[in-house]
């Protein structure tokens, strides 16, 4: 299946802003993050097709996955 | 009180009351400055300092802001600018909470951090700064660390709470306390070139969606630090949210976050 991954903030550094991936059916959001060497601790908001999603959510053909880092400073 | 009002009316020009007249009225009628301000605003007189607000805020809006109480939790990078914005906007009461003292590494970004303030409490510095700008604003400085036990007491009476903290676990405790108190929370966070702002209304799940049950105390800021400009941007957005919440105007960031990337200059609306 083809999905689009959108990265935000410093996740873009040495990676990309937007990229298409061809993955095995049923790949989870967490597996995509792991493939990109983004750890669970670094992750803030995860969205699939503009809606909040969990790491365990399975992706489907044509989905758009957005990954935002945890930001907590003040 | 009739004599005081007449004095204020006579001292005003086109409905604008000069600061010097407020001070003279306070002295002559042995009335505290905040009481003079309240009487003016309730009787159609606008303190002249607010004249550039006039086109967007009505006199009644200005009166409502003065009658409002905002608690700012954290008086560092975000909090310094938020308190400044509140004081200049004319919010009548500000509770400023921070357990820390200023250190040299605060000087690159924290508005209240000056060489003279190094080693001094941040909450007290907030009160001094506001007194120097707008002495009618009542600042309650609290040099304590907010937690689940003292939160309800420290935030009592606030119409809106502003999250200017720097530790995720304390933010989670603050959000829970605000939810229990039924008070709206304006949340801002920064790290390097990045930040986000969100408004959490009581009962909303949006805070959980930003942080979940995160065990991390720090986010990207742990590695990126914070420059001078990111706190100013995010804090100003927080002040705008507070202003709208207090006046029931416009559209606030409830159930969504505005994600800010100053490196690529992108602002993204994130549904939560």
């Amino acid at each position: 299946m083809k999905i689009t991954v959108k990265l935000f903030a410093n996740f873009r550094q040495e990676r990309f802003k937007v990229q298409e991936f061809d993955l095995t059916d049923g790949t989870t959001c967490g597996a995509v993050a792991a493939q990109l060497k983004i750890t669970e601790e670094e992750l803030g908001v995860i969205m699939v097709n503009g809606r909040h999603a969990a790491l365990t959510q399975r992706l489907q053909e044509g989905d758009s996955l957005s990954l935002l880092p945890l930001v907590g400073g003040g | 009180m009739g004599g005081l009002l007449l004095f204020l009316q006579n001292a005003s020009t086109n409905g604008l009351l000069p600061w010097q007249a407020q001070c003279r009225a306070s002295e002559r009628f042995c009335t505290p400055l905040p009481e003079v301000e309240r009487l003016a605003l309730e009787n159609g007189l606008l303190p002249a300092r607010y004249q550039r607000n006039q086109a967007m805020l009505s006199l009644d809006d200005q009166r409502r802001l003065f009658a409002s109480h905002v608690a700012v939790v954290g008086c560092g990078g975000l909090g310094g600018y938020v308190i400044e914005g509140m004081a200049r906007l004319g919010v009548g009461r500000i509770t400023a909470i921070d357990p820390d003292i200023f250190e040299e590494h605060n000087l690159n970004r924290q508005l209240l951090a000056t060489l003279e303030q190094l080693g001094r409490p941040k909450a007290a510095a907030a009160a001094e700064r506001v007194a120097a700008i707008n002495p009618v604003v009542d600042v309650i400085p609290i040099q304590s660390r907010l937690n689940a036990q003292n939160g309800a007491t420290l935030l009592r009476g606030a119409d809106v709470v502003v999250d200017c903290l720097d530790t995720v676990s304390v933010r989670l405790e603050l959000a829970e306390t605000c939810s229990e108190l039924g008070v709206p929370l304006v949340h801002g966070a920064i790290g390097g070139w990045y930040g986000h702002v969100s408004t959490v209304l009581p009962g909303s799940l949006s805070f959980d969606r930003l942080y979940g049950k995160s065990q991390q105390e720090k986010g990207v800021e742990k590695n990126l630090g914070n420059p001078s400009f990111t706190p100013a941007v995010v804090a100003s957005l927080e002040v705008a949210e507070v202003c709208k919440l207090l006046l029931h105007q416009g559209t606030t960031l409830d159930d969504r976050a505005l994600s800010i990337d100053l490196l690529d200059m992108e602002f993204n609306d994130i549904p939560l």
Side-chain angles (χ1 to χ4, degrees):
Chain A
M1 63 173 182
K2 281 200 168 55
I3 65 151
T4 305
V5 178
K6 295 180 184 174
L7 299 181
F8 290 81
N10 63 326
F11 283 169
R12 291 175 176 175
Q13 284 168 18
E14 293 169 22
R15 295 191 188 93
F16 54 87
K17 270 191 194 183
V18 184
Q19 197 166 299
E20 260 200 11
F21 284 80
D22 202 347
L23 301 171
T24 323
D25 282 5
T27 303
T28 63
C29 299
V32 178
Q35 191 178 323
L36 295 170
K37 296 193 165 43
I38 292 172
T39 65
E40 201 172 327
E41 291 73 34
E42 291 175 284
L43 274 167
V45 176
I46 303 154
M47 289 190 298
V48 174
N49 303 328
R51 299 189 64 156
H52 188 267
L55 271 177
T56 49
Q57 182 166 327
R58 292 186 184 284
L59 294 160
Q60 296 180 357
E61 172 71 32
D63 277 352
S64 173
L65 170 67
S66 298
L67 300 175
L68 287 82
L70 192 77
V71 179
Chain B
M1 205 56 93
L4 171 55
L5 180 57
L6 194 65
F7 179 93
L8 296 176
Q9 285 165 335
N10 287 337
S12 300
T13 309
N14 298 325
L16 292 177
L17 177 64
W19 173 245
Q20 286 307 325
Q22 285 183 257
C23 294
R24 279 203 307 276
S26 171
E27 262 183 52
R28 183 160 157 187
F29 294 89
C30 298
T31 305
L33 280 165
E35 186 59 22
V36 172
E37 178 117 337
R38 186 190 62 77
L39 189 70
L41 287 165
E42 287 180 356
N43 287 278
L45 301 174
L46 183 70
R49 68 164 62 240
Y50 303 123
Q51 59 192 296
R52 292 292 184 271
N53 291 353
Q54 259 181 314
M56 56 177 281
L57 301 177
S58 70
L59 195 112
D60 193 54
D61 291 337
Q62 204 67 62
R63 183 194 61 74
R64 287 172 75 169
L65 289 173
F66 186 64
S68 299
H69 178 184
V70 174
V72 182
V73 189
C75 303
L78 292 173
Y81 284 104
V82 167
I83 289 163
E84 179 94 359
M86 297 294 158
R88 291 188 188 273
L89 191 60
V91 169
R93 179 169 291 175
I94 301 168
T95 297
I97 305 170
D98 200 305
D100 294 334
I101 56 169
F102 283 109
E103 298 177 66
E104 196 167 342
H105 59 82
N106 300 145
L107 286 167
N108 80 322
R109 68 193 184 285
Q110 300 192 10
L111 185 65
L112 298 169
T114 61
L115 291 172
E116 291 72 29
Q117 290 288 0
L118 293 182
R120 302 198 55 233
K122 295 183 178 183
E128 286 171 32
R129 174 72 182 173
V130 174
I133 297 167
N134 195 353
V136 302
V137 178
D138 177 22
V139 180
I140 304 160
I142 298 174
Q143 194 185 348
S144 294
R145 190 173 301 281
L146 184 130
N147 56 44
Q149 285 72 46
N150 65 14
T153 306
L154 299 186
L155 303 175
R156 183 162 295 144
D159 299 300
V160 176
V161 175
V162 194
D163 175 3
C164 299
L165 289 160
D166 64 357
T167 312
V168 174
S169 62
V170 188
R171 289 182 185 278
L172 290 166
E173 288 185 333
L174 174 63
E176 199 169 324
T177 304
C178 289
S179 182
E180 284 167 11
L181 291 172
V183 182
L185 174 69
V186 175
H187 158 77
I190 52 173
W193 298 89
Y194 316 108
H196 65 244
V197 184
S198 183
T199 288
V200 187
L201 299 180
S204 164
L205 294 174
S206 57
F207 204 85
D208 288 340
R209 291 184 164 171
L210 276 169
Y211 291 104
K213 300 290 172 218
S214 179
Q215 298 298 308
Q216 306 304 309
E217 288 293 24
K218 304 284 179 191
V220 294
E221 69 282 3
K222 186 177 167 188
N223 295 321
L224 301 177
N226 280 305
S228 66
F229 45 83
T230 314
V233 171
V234 171
S236 292
L237 295 169
E238 289 188 281
V239 174
E241 287 292 280
V242 174
C243 181
K244 291 182 293 179
L245 286 168
L246 292 174
L247 300 178
H248 305 292
Q249 289 184 10
T251 306
T252 50
L253 287 165
D254 27 306
D255 294 325
R256 62 199 175 106
L258 185 66
S259 172
I260 296 143
D261 178 338
L262 298 175
L263 186 61
D264 286 337
M265 235 9 135
E266 286 182 14
F267 287 61
N268 288 288
D269 203 338
I270 308 293
L272 294 173

